[in-house]
Amino acid sequence: MILEVSQYLENYLWPHFDPLAATFEHVMSIIIMVNEKFRENVAAWTCFHERKDAFKVFLERVLRLKEGRELSIAEKTNYLVFMINAFQSLEDEVVSRTILRLANLKSWYSLSYGRFQMELCLNPGLVKKWKRMIKKEPVKGGGSHLDPLTKVEVMFVRNLIEEFMEILDSQVFPQKQLSGEDNELIDATGLGLLNDACVLYCERFMEFLIDLLSQLPTRRYLRPLVADVAVVAKCHLSALYRHEKGKLFAQLVDLLQFYEGFEINDHTGTQLTDHEVLESHYSRMQSFQLLAFKKMEKLRELALTNIGSIHKRANLTKKLSVLSPEELRNFVCCKLKLVSKEDPWSERVDFLIEVMLSYFEKQQSQKEAINALPLYPNEQIMWDESVVPSINYSGEGCLALPKLNLQFLTLHDYLLRNFNLFRLESTYEIREDIQEAVPHLLAYINNDGGTAFRGWSRMGVPIKEFKITEVKQPNIGEVKPSSVTAEVTYSVSSYRAHIRSEWDALKEHDVLFLLSIRPLFEPLSAEEEDKASVPQKLGLQFVRGCEVIEIRDEEGNLMNDFSGKIKRDEWKPPKGELRTVTVALDTAQYHMDVSNIAEKGAEDVYGTFNVLMRRKPKENNFKAILESIRDLMNEYCIVPKWLENIFLGYGDPSAAQWTNMPDVLETVDFKDTFVDADHLKESFVDYEVSFVNSDGSENLNPRPPFKIKLPRTLKPNNGTLTGHAMSTSGATNDINVVDANYQKEALVIETYTPPDPGPYPQDQPKQNLVRFTPTQVEAIISGIQPGLTMVVGPPGTGKTDTAVQILNVLYHNCPSQRTLIITHSNQALNDLFEKIMQRDVPARYLLRLGQGEQELATDLDFSRQGRVNAMLVRRLELLSEVERLARSLQLPEDVGYTCETAGYFWLLHVYSRWEQFLAACAENKEKSTFVRDRFPFKEFFYDTPHPVFTGESFEKDMQAATGCFRHLKNMFQELEECRAFELLKSTADRANYLMTKQAKIVAMTCTHAALKRKDFLQLGFKYDNLLMEESAQILEIETFIPMLLQRQEDGHARLKRCILIGDHHQLPPVVKNMAFQKYSHMDQSLFTRFVRLGIPYIELNAQGRARPSIAKLYNWRYRDLGDLPSVKEEVVFNRANAGFAYDYQLVDVPDYLGKGETTPSPWFYQNEGEAEYVVSVYIYMRLLGYPANKISILTTYNGQKLLIRDVVNRRCVPYDFIGPPSKVTTVDKFQGQQNDFILLSIVRTRFVGHLRDVRRLVVAMSRARLGLYVFCRRSLFEQCYELQPTFQLLLERPDHLALNVNEITSYTERNFEDPGPGHHVHLVSGIEEMGSIIDRLYQEKLRHQFDQNGPYLSHLEPSENTDGMQSGQQTMDTDMPEQTEDDMPHKIKEATTVDNVTGYNNVEDVTMVDNSDGVANGNPSP
């Protein structure tokens, strides 16, 4: 690791690699360094791309590395890990071209003759391909072909398999002795015989084979090879498979067996249906019986038996036992040709039977397997380290987990891998919660020998009574019960009011856990405790999950009912202290438990439960997501045909681009996208733009809106590139080379005068004011066309504005279509929604689902209930307008009684009068006052702000009359939409109608989509377009589920557009367990996978957030990220930060009190020196007059965040002229947010840590608009290869904080590029000097008697709170003692470490910083 961090590969190994002269040791060293990079999750192949030819030769050398040389077991393991990593990097062109040669048809030369014949019989299409391949083979001098077995690609995998079999058979147990025919292991010394290095090799080899069989390009030709050697059968019979230390190996073998028999046609890549799998199995069994009938007299009985009675393992073994060993060998090797007779294992009877069984036994289908799995974890899986590893997974070993890489075999494979990983990730989180809650209960054995509890836990409560109340009969075709219901009674008497209210807030569908605790009679000794497992320490026997059906109080009254059984006015607070909750148990788990009791005499789990545990609602949504995945597995799929191949990772990456799609929108009305004609011309620089009117005549003074007939061959701007184009920066330069004879294509733009919307101000459409860049326009064009659109939005490039304009244009061009908006966070959803509300989309068509709706900064309520109420209020307003219209026409007012009567009124009186008026107008066009005199609804429009008609021109008045009629028409159209709310009486029906029929744009978070999928399907929810913001931050499966919230129509998916907006250069989705993140790549989003697959995307290329100088710290990561004119021209970006010489700086922080980074507990990093320094600079800024709400303090670790909060609490909060900053949080939590000034603490002083992930660096550098000050250990970070581009820029400036001591207010006229005169710039030597500077500044402030803070950069918004006082701060001030000089905020007291950080909840009230990611029950997360 130290060599890797020191850039041993980049600076020494690779530059000195000579393709011809490099030694074995040199090549092996490179292999080890590449493996280390993969283990650390950093880009491994980047440095090789500078010498591509040498890279190809290096890979060839690797393939031939073993020739004529015997490697040690450690070298073999490293070699194998390199091959695993190479096969996982098929998106790299050089790697894939070399590596995929090992998995082509030539590898079949190494098959046994019988297997080769069998494979060609099963796949007749390959015979021609094989013959063509032989013809192309090079010929020797004598005319004969070269021996194919000498080629590396022919024997490479075969040799590896045979090497593995030798190690498994003879080296795992070096001194093993076998006794007799049973091959039983005589192990006199217990576990001492096992060779751990060989076990690791065997586990890694299983991982290697699983990877090969779980990707179609490698599976196609290598699966027969694995079957030919019968790897699975041999592993099943190995001693390691049955050994207790071979548990992980056994799980990996089972996973390999699963992928070997996967339900897919290897050569077409199509998924086999259950029926096809069954047909194939029966066909195989019939051929087997026919052969047995013809050739084997002894197997006559087997040949005549029905298939149902022999395809089970036990029955088939019994029938085969009549054959002698030699007959069996002859039958398997010569007749069936399942294995070669040359294989030494073919002499073992148990092996031959195992091969027969694995080939003919009926396998459980994937659907059956997933339906039989319990959704809740139990105690066995929870503490199994090979599937749910603890947090400190190093990446050195492998795990029995599926991987999410580039490609998947089928949609079932995709769902199954995600189901398993999501289930295990939630298992890990549940395990952590149990380990947190149970110890607080202080369980002990009472005098009666039963379990009792001395303590209490917020999340766990002792059970008074548990009883199963109903077990329903299984559904047809199933063995598990259709439902199991139980009642759990517990008391809330020991809880205070706020915790009691949390328990009383339990509602339907909440997930609870039933625990069985049986503590030890005597406490464990220290030695025993070290060896004991977590369940043993906790006394935990069983864990079972359940789902709340209903909850009742002591008197049996229903609580928290959302079904409408209890009306709102009848609701009463719960009575008594006992609560009875009715729960649904997991039927699959119940069936397993009952079977174990009946068959194995196991203990009755359901009689032992004594603790009920709940979890935080936000973290407890796993069951709904797992159910959604399971439901998708049971449905016939699902993904739109145009997306399916791309989704699985195959085919042409650009196949789903709009230019390759049918049914494109030929002509698009861009409405207010373009601010003026020049803006449009700037957006289509490659075209000769001309403007015409609707009648085809040329328009010399064009004004928006514009309609454009888009050519299918629309030339992309510089923003479009494929996923691989990141490194080929030279490709874009060709665009600017102009040929002298080049003739620009013509693009004809149609201008039109929009119809008069009506005479009232509210009739006028809201206009877009954003001048979109050409790349944003390209994204908008792609987004409104059918197909897949991917937009990469670097920080500050207007992702949200682009998304909103796509929605706006889409609504106006396809008014009948419905769009679903999905984001990761409520914050992003609300930002998007607030901007949509400012566009020309009627509020009645907008709907916001989920919990974050109340945070919307608007007076309107966009929840389902709020929209229903708004529609009912609007109905009354419109009906009163109808009555006013009737009065103006001297008609009875009762026409406005209901929407129905208003509809008749429209047809009989309004529309008929309009038609008569139009007919009259047609005959009187020459009369200029005719419209004004004869307009039938003139009385109604008496209250318009300006007179409707002038009487000067017939045309103008006619246009105004049409606008008035449009106002009326819209009014009655809206009433028609309100009619359903009049007819439907219940609130639920109205809300469901609104969601499924009325709303055109429905927004929700990905979590809400997964939780409510079943409800959406039941209600018949439909949508045509999906727009996903923050899609690089959403787990792959949480991106997939929102695509499938509707049922298919006639076997086809309705989805027409999928627009993914995100930034794969920023942080990925959060996965708490490092093993799932590092080993399984669970943190890879669908967006990132699509980019890796080379799917074209549009990268926005102009940022408007930060000063150009600050943007340079991260824009190197993007292809062509420039700056919008606003950040170059606006005054705020050109003025210096008062009091500071520079707008950004790296500040080197040495050891403080003899310490750098500290870890009071594992993974909990703190740095006192940086914490004190950062807070000192914050105080300095506040004393100058910078507003607190314009400053955020960020750090890269939770431990440091808590330490800084504590220092802020001590040094800032008690003084009202300082107060807390806007936020003190981690970089990860601050993604998607920004502030004017960022103070960043990087913490680490020994190892770089997780900032080596460049994505975290990009987020950290891109949060600041005007000032960024980075506090870190220079000597460590300047050496880090991945971070070089940023740190080289930072280190061009002094590494001591440079202050402009002449400026003592927050206002300056100085330009940001001017540090100030040399005698005014002072370099701060360290933390102590910073304290004395604050002291001096404070005294100076007192001397000048500043009662208020000075003006803050006067060009900022005047509404900003310049004194930095946040609401709720006064509560602290009243408790503070009188200030003495020693109590002043500039005095740096001994920093508080985690051991004496207390009162975080109080700090939260004051600093208003979200602590949800920090301490939970006193146990800080990393």
Side-chain angles (χ1 to χ4, degrees), residues 77 80 195-205 396-398:
T77 305
L80 193 57
N195 183 329
D196 288 337
C198 291
V199 172
L200 177 62
Y201 174 83
C202 293
E203 290 166 353
R204 281 294 193 184
F205 194 81
E396 284 168 6
C398 65

Side-chain angles (χ1 to χ4, degrees), residues 47 73 173 285 317 361 732 794 895 1024:
C47 68
I73 193 71
F173 296 94
M285 288 298 288
T317 308
E361 183 186 10
T732 58
V895 294
D1024 305 271

Side-chain angles (χ1 to χ4, degrees), residues 23 253 322 431 628-629 679 693 707 741 758 1150 1251:
T23 62
V253 171
V322 297
R431 180 176 86 181
S628 293
I629 302 172
H679 182 201
N693 295 314
K707 285 183 181 176
N741 302 318
L1251 194 70

Side-chain angles (χ1 to χ4, degrees), residues 601-639:
E603 186 178 359
D604 179 7
V605 175
Y606 298 91
T608 65
F609 296 132
N610 50 16
V611 172
L612 182 70
M613 193 190 90
R614 65 186 174 91
R615 299 178 71 223
K616 291 176 185 171
K618 273 189 179 178
E619 298 165 5
N620 212 17
N621 54 24
F622 71 96
K623 179 176 180 279
I625 294 172
L626 291 176
E627 264 183 338
S628 293
I629 302 172
R630 190 164 71 179
D631 292 345
L632 288 168
M633 283 282 289
N634 286 297
E635 291 170 18
Y636 178 71
C637 252
I638 13 170
V639 177

Side-chain angles (χ1 to χ4, degrees), residues 790-995:
M790 289 183 51
V791 182
V792 172
T797 50
K799 294 189 285 285
T800 308
D801 287 324
T802 307
V804 166
Q805 194 62 19
I806 290 172
L807 294 167
N808 187 23
V809 178
L810 201 50
Y811 165 75
H812 287 287
N813 282 272
C814 308
S816 62
Q817 293 186 7
R818 312 180 74 224
T819 302
L820 175 64
I821 301 173
I822 298 285
T823 67
H824 170 62
S825 64
N826 280 310
Q827 171 78 38
L829 196 54
N830 291 341
D831 288 348
L832 196 62
F833 221 67
E834 282 163 22
K835 287 192 174 181
I836 296 170
M837 282 149 42
Q838 293 160 15
R839 295 296 165 85
D840 186 23
V841 180
R844 66 181 184 274
Y845 293 142
L846 302 176
L847 177 64
R848 163 80 163 86
L849 300 177
Q851 299 300 311
E853 186 275 329
Q854 57 269 28
E855 295 161 20
L856 271 170
T858 171
D859 299 332
L860 302 173
D861 184 351
F862 283 91
S863 65
R864 267 193 282 190
Q865 188 59 51
R867 287 291 85 211
V868 168
N869 293 340
M871 288 301 286
L872 295 173
V873 170
R874 183 68 179 146
R875 171 183 166 272
L876 296 176
E877 289 172 3
L878 291 169
L879 289 176
S880 67
E881 285 290 283
V882 171
E883 289 174 1
R884 188 165 75 81
L885 179 60
R887 277 200 304 275
S888 73
L889 297 173
Q890 279 90 44
L891 292 169
E893 292 180 19
D894 60 358
V895 294
Y897 183 64
T898 65
C899 296
E900 187 177 7
T901 55
Y904 296 138
F905 172 62
W906 158 256
L907 286 171
L908 290 171
H909 298 289
V910 182
Y911 194 64
S912 59
R913 279 174 167 76
W914 175 249
E915 286 182 321
Q916 290 165 11
F917 169 68
L918 288 180
C921 286
E923 297 167 6
N924 295 279
K925 287 185 178 178
E926 68 287 346
K927 297 180 184 175
S928 61
T929 61
F930 183 82
V931 174
R932 184 183 67 186
D933 299 339
R934 298 289 297 276
F935 183 63
F937 312 111
K938 196 162 58 175
E939 276 293 310
F940 179 76
F941 290 102
Y942 76 92
D943 58 346
T944 55
H946 306 288
V948 179
F949 306 111
T950 60
E952 295 168 6
S953 157
F954 176 88
E955 285 74 21
K956 280 189 177 176
D957 281 2
M958 193 62 207
Q959 197 176 347
T962 311
C964 290
F965 180 70
R966 182 167 282 102
H967 174 87
L968 291 175
K969 189 178 177 182
N970 289 341
M971 192 170 90
F972 281 97
Q973 186 186 338
E974 212 175 323
L975 265 173
E976 185 57 34
E977 290 173 7
C978 292
R979 191 172 171 190
F981 297 91
E982 192 174 80
L983 296 171
L984 297 167
K985 297 304 177 192
S986 84
T987 308
D989 288 345
R990 286 169 171 171
N992 292 337
Y993 173 84
L994 177 88
M995 184 180 80

Side-chain angles (χ1 to χ4, degrees), residues 32-51:
I32 291 168
M33 286 296 105
V34 169
N35 290 348
E36 184 61 25
K37 280 194 177 293
F38 271 96
R39 193 180 73 80
E40 285 290 309
N41 248 7
V42 293
W45 308 115
T46 314
C47 68
F48 294 100
H49 289 151
E50 294 161 10
R51 299 168 59 204

